[in-house]
Amino acid sequence: MLFLGLGLGGTAFFLVKTGLEASLEAQGKAQTLYLARQLEEHLLLNDLYAVFRQLESLEGEGVLGFVLDPKGEVLVHTFPGGFPLNLKTLIGRFRFQGEVYRLYRSPIGDGSVGALALAFPETPLRQKLAHLLVLGAWWALGVTALAFLLVSRAADQFLKPLEALVQGVRAWQEGRERPLPDPGGELRVLHQALVAYRERVKRREQELSTLNQVAEAVNRAETPEGVLQNALEALARSGLFRCGEAWLGEVRVGKVLCPYRDEEVCPLKRGEPKTTYHTLELTEARLLLDTEAPQAFLEAIKAPIEAGLHRARYTQALKERAQERSQLLKALIQAQEAERARLARDLHDQIGQILTGIDLGLKAVKEGRVEAVPALQELVRSAIQDVRHLSRSLRPSALDTLGLEAALKRMAEEFQERTGIRVNPLCRLKGRLPETHETALYRVVQEALTNVARHAKAKQVSVVLQQEEGEINLVVEDDGQGFPPEAQPGLGILGMRERIELLGGRFQVESLPGLGTTLYARIPLKEVKT
């Protein structure tokens, strides 16, 4: 009976050991694949520090890891004392610093980004098996002591329940759900451990599935509101959340699974304290969730949602810029045609009439009427003045001959005489600037003063242009009526921004109703190739 007890205990030990090893194998592969998906974005961004932090977070579980690039070179590892080079191609078990590990690999992306390898220690498995071995030893001794009286009962209490446990573990290995019967007695410890382990595995699988669903859902959205709403709906389908709200700034953009018809009695609405209510703070957004999911899982959910928000905002900004550029191009074409029409009209109405008068005067002189010469000279002087005026309207000569500072001062004087608005120019330049910079700054100040005359109702304007190390700073400030921050920029502002950004600079406008408007522009002295 002793040998029989040892044989049965060994058989049970072997079966459970096989089941635990298979579960560990499945967990290792799943965790490696999950982490590989998480690291893909960091590697694409070449953020090796974030990759190291991800691997370092596994050290609490005793897990070591390393990441290889597509050429097989080690990018990041968490092996203390240096990386063993023989692990680059090793698969399976190995010994490191007196500990036995199991190595699992997974490609990152389709393998073109690199590969991830995680080494899981066998110590937890050995501890469980040792505990099981102790239970088996006690069980064998009990069988020996009570064999003569309780053979039938012992078989019922140990062999059948143990077989049921084994069959349940095998069903789990095959992916089938099968409840484990409670054997009672000493085997209850093993039963509870197996059930708890299975629940943890199921929970982890559900969490991984939820993360994948959230990532897929947010990638389908094109706006920040859509990202948050899709994320809420994906979380609702997972079954891990009872109620949730999505807020973008101070505006609620989504709500799912709320059991309250009257929102005023909703705990989320009232902000009642409860341990299952969690707030996920995102960039300019937040999610309010009623769930019992662990905090680590909630933090993991933030990553794909943040990525989706960033992508949606970037896409939205690109669409807005494209629309602005289209409007600006249309306005530029219209302005160009209007300018051509004005020039044609001025040439016809002014220069054309003067030249006609000169032609008549020359005919009079040819006929011997000398008294027509003074009038002829006056017509020539008038033609010269009109041509100069047209030339200055196209491009100020002072900008080419005297430079930006003199051209701005002359513009300020003419603007003040024409509008009655006082202009205070202050220029601190160390010399001539590149032609592209002078032209852009001149046109920006010109457009800014034009906007002041049309819209600001200001009494005075300050124009400050100064050269600092490596860049030119421009500030145009008026004391006019201003405008609200949410107002859409006009074509004039869009044109100014386009000029500054084409030179690699930065452009900003600040205004509040009743407090005037301030324009800031910074341009690097080094020209940008476009």
Side-chain angles (χ1 to χ4, degrees), residues 115-298:
L116 168 68
L118 295 182
F120 292 81
E122 288 190 352
T123 301
L125 178 62
R126 293 175 180 273
Q127 291 176 348
K128 291 181 179 179
L129 293 177
H131 182 64
L132 178 61
L133 186 60
V134 171
L135 291 178
W138 283 106
W139 179 77
L141 292 176
V143 170
T144 304
L146 302 176
F148 298 100
L149 300 175
L150 304 173
V151 173
S152 176
R153 185 176 180 181
D156 292 338
Q157 290 181 347
F158 292 96
L159 295 181
K160 291 182 179 179
L162 187 58
E163 179 64 22
L165 293 178
V166 173
Q167 293 299 328
V169 173
R170 286 178 175 172
W172 293 347
Q173 291 177 339
E174 297 172 359
R176 295 182 288 109
E177 289 294 334
R178 181 174 178 177
L180 290 182
D182 187 359
E186 295 294 336
L187 290 180
R188 177 172 291 175
V189 177
L190 177 60
H191 171 268
Q192 293 174 349
L194 290 173
V195 171
Y197 179 75
R198 176 58 177 168
E199 290 300 322
R200 288 197 300 270
V201 171
K202 290 174 60 178
R203 187 81 175 190
R204 182 62 59 88
E205 291 175 350
Q206 188 178 18
E207 292 174 353
L208 291 176
S209 176
T210 301
L211 284 175
N212 290 333
Q213 293 175 8
V214 170
E216 293 175 358
V218 299
N219 285 334
R220 293 193 300 267
E222 297 182 355
T223 62
E225 294 84 355
V227 168
L228 295 175
Q229 181 62 34
N230 286 4
L232 273 184
E233 293 175 357
L235 293 175
R237 289 193 298 268
S238 69
L240 296 175
F241 299 85
R242 288 182 290 271
C243 181
E245 289 183 354
W247 290 76
L248 190 62
E250 299 301 323
V251 179
R252 191 180 72 183
V253 296
K255 188 177 182 70
V256 294
L257 298 180
C258 184
Y260 301 96
R261 294 185 178 180
D262 185 2
E263 290 192 356
E264 295 301 326
V265 301
C266 177
L268 287 179
K269 182 72 174 179
R270 298 200 309 268
E272 292 183 357
K274 185 178 178 182
T275 56
T276 59
Y277 295 156
H278 299 273
T279 301
L280 291 187
E281 294 292 344
L282 306 166
T283 304
E284 299 180 1
R286 65 184 186 276
L287 292 179
L288 305 180
L289 302 172
D290 182 8
T291 178
E292 295 178 356
Q295 188 64 32
F297 175 62
L298 296 177

Side-chain angles (χ1 to χ4, degrees), residues 357-362 365 371-381:
I358 292 174
D359 182 56
L360 296 175
L362 290 174
V365 172
E371 65 275 7
V373 172
L376 199 60
Q377 291 177 335
E378 182 64 26
L379 287 174
V380 171
R381 284 193 293 269

